[in-house]
Structure formats: structure tokens, C-alpha cells
Amino acid sequence: MDKSKEILSKLKEYRDLDLKYEKGNIFGSMCTKPHPITLEIIKMFYETNLGDPGLFIGTKKLEEESIQMIGKLLHNPNAFGYIISGGTEANITAMRLFNNISKANFKNKKYGNKKNREDSSKIIIPETAHFSFDKSKDMMNLDLIRPPLTEYYTSNVKWVKDYVEDTISKNGENSISGIVGIAGCTELGTIDNIKELSKIAYTNDIPLHVDAAFGGFVIPFLEEKYKLKNYNYEFDFSLDGVKTITIDPHKMGLSPISAGGIIFRNREYKKYLDIEAPYLTETLQATILGTRTGVGAATTWGLLKLLCKDGYAKITHECMEKTTYLTNKLRENGFETVIEPVLNIIAIKDDNAKETCKKLKEKGLYVSVCRCTNALRIVIMPHLEFEHLDNLVNTLCKINKK
Ligand code: 0PR
């Protein structure tokens, strides 16, 4: 056998150890089998580097056009941003932006008195936020202020308003560097009241970041019949306080990994992130990564053009239908959910969630668990079919002898 063939066959052996989405046993992932067209796109763009955009002018154009299309979806014709590695990088970028704006405002004495600028930037962020924000905290020494959750597992906006007003009245000036809201939280899929958070943010001149890494490719396509009365589904740039949004093509956007999106309200924000890069074709760089693939930009562009609104609406509809189906079937079999599912995520109450998760794994089914409450967590991604859901319920029943 020639050497390349030998290596490829060895690689295949390793690859065969991986689980496969199409087998229908991955229930805890926010990623899915990418759309088949992306295989062709990967081949075409595999050597591109958006870290040096002057060399890859076409790929850079695709990134800009992808951002414009996503901006339109999020009601912002002036959107600016990048297709980066994923939600983690997007959230860290937003925190870096808020931290830098805060430092610049202090320098410019926008908020006056020196003694009120503390070393760390205060960010108000819900308990339900993804752990990528804890990474930002580590990197930038942020002071994360955690409002309590409402009974619907959303950030308590009354608490946020009181906290902001109290802090400002105590200091006589604003010492809060940012607010974060989640549109589709990782564990339960809940959506914070971004409209109210936006009002608080706008009135007090505090930037608001929305983490819609998961929900960004779901909420805009959700039919009215799925909307629950205890949640407000507005989350995008149509709300004045929203300055940045994380929205990931490699989750419900059907793009292969890595494709994350960070979208800014406008280009003005770039200057707070720019670092001089004198030896590149573009001499200022704002992204965290330097050398970075253009594949994500190209697959995102391709899928937005191919699927359009109708395609994503169909995917969302199918996932929500399956979510309703599984919820009903679980209830018929005596299981309870933590909340009425808001998006295509179901949390099943279980005092021994970790133990159940282990037993399911022994049966070849992979679910995850919640951190905020004792529950199993199921994400209904496009790779899951009705028969896979039946299999999950049957196995759960056997484990629990229900
Ligand atoms: N923001 C939210 C709301 C998220 O849910 C996630 C990831 C991120 C940010 C970070 O995104 P990246 O992982 O792209 O950096 N949420 C899932 C999680 O951590 C990601 C995931 C995907 C987990 C596939 C497992 C898996 O098999 O749970």
C-alpha cells in the first residue's frame, strides 16, 4: 500500500471511533451534521486565511457579505462584524470591546472622577450565561455581577434596573461597563427579557451584549404558535441598547465547525479592538485570532444564500415539532420538564441526572445534564428523527422502570 493510502486508512480507524450524528444517539449537542453543500465549499476554501485579508480578497468579501446578511436578519443594515471560530470567541470579543470602551471612557474622563474607575470592569450577566464568559473574566479580570433568576430562568430585570440605578446614584456616575442578556441559554433555551434590559442599558449609556449563539438561528424563524406568553422574543438590533450580538452558524445555522458570528451595531466599535499589525496586508487587526480560516465565512455565505429564510424556517419548524412530540411523549410516560420548552431544548427533571446520564451512555445514548437545576438536557437538533426520540423515551422508561 502506498504511504498516503496507509495513513488515510489509519485515520479512518480513528475517525470510526467517533460518534456520528446520523446514528441518532447524540442528544446533548448544539452542533449537528452540516449541510452537504458545505463539503464542496470546504474543498474550495480550505487554504484561505482571513488573518491576512489582503491576500484573500474574495474570501474577505464573503465574510463582509455574510455579516450584512446576518445583520439584515437581525434588523440592522449597518451591521459590522466577523465570522470567527465560535460562540466562545464571539463572547470574549464582546467582553474585550466593553472592557476597552470602559477604559477609553475613563481615560477621556467621560465619567469624570478618577477614583470611581475600579481596576476591573463590572459586567451584569445572568447565572444562565455560558462558561465562555468565565473565560473572559479570567483573561480580563472582569467583575461579573449576577442578578437572581426569575421563576422562568431569565435574568431578573427589576433587580438589574435597581442595581444600575443604585450604583449610579451612589457613585454619582456610571461605573458599569456592560450588560449581557441571553437569547437561548445553553442549558434550558430560555430568552432573557432583552427589551427591558435594552431600555435600562440605553437610558444609562451602558452597552448591552446579546448571546444568541444558539437562538440567533432559531428565534427569527419561530412561528407564533410556539411562542410562550412568559417570554419576550425580541432580541436584536431593533432594540436601541443592543450593541453586539453573538450568533453562531455552526450551531443551528448548519455550518460545519468552526463558524461563529460576532456582530456589532456599526463599524464605530472596531477602533476599540484594533491592534497594529504592521506586516500584514491590512495593518489593523480586531479579531482575537490572527491566522484564521475563511471556510466559516464561505460556508455561512453559501448556506444563507441556499437556504434563505424559508429554509431556516423549515428547519426550525421541524425541530420545534419534534420538541413538542418528545415533551408530550415524556409527559405521557410520567416524566416532568423543568419548564415549558422555549426553544428546541428540553430539560427533564431528574434528581439523579448524572446517574441517569451514565446509564443512558451504557445503552449508547448521549444526553447532557443541567447545572442550574437537577435535570437531563436534550437538544433537538436536525439530526434527530422521531424514531430516535422514541428510542430515548423507551430507554429512559426502562432505566426508571416507568
Ligand atoms: N453561548 C451559548 C449560549 C452557547 O450555548 C455556547 C455553546 C457558546 C456560547 C459557546 O459556543 P462555542 O462552543 O461555539 O464556543 N454551547 C454548547 C455547550 O457548551 C456547545 C456544544 C456544542 C456543546 C456541541 C456540546 C456539543 O456536543 O454546551
Side-chain angles (χ1 to χ4, degrees):
M1 216 193 302
D2 84 31
K3 191 143 186 205
S4 327
K5 270 197 184 144
E6 201 179 301
I7 288 170
L8 287 173
S9 110
K10 199 77 200 154
L11 282 168
K12 173 85 169 48
E13 276 175 38
Y14 282 90
R15 176 69 179 117
D16 286 345
L17 298 175
D18 296 344
L19 298 186
K20 304 286 178 321
Y21 293 109
E22 54 269 37
K23 267 201 84 184
N25 57 354
I26 302 180
F27 293 94
S29 170
M30 285 188 159
C31 296
T32 192
K33 181 100 185 162
H35 192 285
I37 194 182
T38 58
L39 262 180
E40 289 303 312
I41 302 176
I42 291 171
K43 267 198 224 159
M44 210 184 291
F45 286 85
Y46 79 99
E47 62 189 30
T48 58
N49 173 18
L50 283 173
D52 206 356
L55 303 183
F56 298 94
I57 300 155
T59 310
K60 183 63 196 166
K61 272 198 167 125
L62 289 176
E63 182 177 54
E64 286 165 359
E65 289 180 24
S66 297
I67 296 297
Q68 264 171 21
M69 285 189 272
I70 296 175
K72 248 193 193 162
L73 179 71
L74 302 174
H75 298 108
N76 181 2
N78 302 315
F80 176 78
Y82 301 96
I83 302 297
I84 49 179
S85 62
T88 299
E89 192 188 343
N91 286 338
I92 294 173
T93 302
M95 293 304 98
R96 182 171 163 245
L97 173 69
F98 288 6
N99 193 36
N100 287 354
I101 291 177
S102 173
K103 284 195 280 190
N105 282 344
F106 168 63
K107 240 191 193 162
N108 297 336
K109 301 253 174 13
K110 180 168 176 194
Y111 297 121
N113 203 338
K114 191 172 177 169
K115 70 180 188 304
N116 285 328
R117 163 73 203 188
E118 291 150 22
D119 282 332
S120 55
S121 291
K122 270 198 182 79
I123 306 283
I124 303 177
I125 179 165
E127 286 290 344
T128 47
H130 185 258
F131 53 79
S132 44
F133 292 99
D134 296 312
K135 295 180 183 173
S136 327
K137 174 188 155 88
D138 261 10
M139 292 171 178
M140 290 169 257
N141 186 30
L142 304 178
D143 181 8
L144 301 184
I145 313 290
R146 306 279 191 170
L149 294 176
T150 66
E151 62 184 299
Y152 303 109
Y153 291 87
T154 52
S155 189
N156 185 325
V157 289
K158 162 99 177 53
W159 190 96
V160 174
K161 186 166 188 283
D162 290 348
Y163 181 87
V164 168
E165 287 172 358
D166 284 358
T167 311
I168 292 176
S169 79
K170 225 186 274 159
N171 297 341
E173 59 189 13
N174 182 15
S175 63
I176 297 163
S177 308
I179 301 177
V180 175
I182 318 289
C185 84
T186 309
E187 292 180 48
L188 300 168
T190 54
I191 304 167
D192 288 329
N193 192 332
I194 308 292
K195 188 172 186 176
E196 288 305 315
L197 289 177
S198 164
K199 276 188 205 157
I200 301 166
Y202 193 74
T203 316
N204 295 289
D205 199 13
I206 303 171
L208 173 61
H209 171 64
V210 177
D211 182 358
F214 183 75
F217 274 99
V218 184
I219 303 167
F221 310 110
L222 207 56
E223 291 155 82
E224 287 304 315
K225 66 173 177 180
Y226 297 120
K227 296 191 179 171
L228 308 174
K229 69 175 191 319
N230 295 316
Y231 296 89
N232 188 323
Y233 290 76
E234 289 166 81
F235 76 102
D236 66 20
F237 291 109
S238 51
L239 306 169
D240 292 332
V242 176
K243 304 301 184 217
T244 51
I245 297 181
T246 290
I247 171 169
D248 283 356
H250 75 196
K251 295 189 170 71
M252 284 292 284
L254 253 56
S255 185
I257 300 163
S258 302
I262 180 70
I263 322 288
F264 308 107
R265 180 169 279 277
N266 57 53
R267 196 175 241 285
E268 277 295 287
Y269 292 99
K270 184 178 183 304
K271 65 173 183 282
Y272 295 100
L273 294 170
D274 274 339
I275 296 286
E276 277 184 37
Y279 41 77
L280 299 182
T281 49
E282 211 174 73
T283 54
L284 292 170
Q285 192 172 83
T287 51
I288 293 174
L289 297 192
T291 302
R292 60 190 183 96
T293 177
V295 167
T299 54
T300 301
W301 190 96
L303 289 171
L304 285 166
K305 291 281 185 199
L306 180 74
L307 295 171
C308 310
K309 275 199 167 174
D310 286 354
Y312 282 114
K314 184 167 177 281
I315 294 162
T316 299
H317 172 81
E318 286 169 3
C319 289
M320 290 309 292
E321 285 291 289
K322 289 173 192 161
T323 303
T324 308
Y325 175 82
L326 180 58
T327 308
N328 290 339
K329 190 142 186 163
L330 284 164
R331 287 178 182 157
E332 280 161 22
N333 284 281
F335 295 94
E336 279 180 71
T337 57
V338 175
I339 50 166
E340 197 59 38
V342 184
L343 301 178
N344 43 329
I345 300 179
I346 304 177
I348 310 167
K349 281 188 190 172
D350 186 339
D351 287 338
N352 302 310
K354 278 198 177 142
E355 190 56 30
T356 310
C357 192
K358 217 173 113 197
K359 286 184 184 159
L360 284 169
K361 190 175 160 191
E362 283 162 13
K363 307 252 178 226
L365 305 184
Y366 292 76
V367 305
S368 59
V369 293
C370 291
R371 177 182 63 171
C372 65
T373 179
N374 286 330
L376 298 170
R377 167 180 171 268
I378 314 289
V379 190
I380 310 292
M381 294 300 288
H383 61 266
L384 291 172
E385 302 296 344
F386 287 100
E387 68 199 76
H388 304 136
L389 307 179
D390 290 342
N391 184 28
L392 176 68
V393 178
N394 293 341
T395 314
L396 266 175
C397 285
K398 272 186 214 146
I399 287 174
N400 286 288
K401 302 208 174 44
K402 281 193 184 178

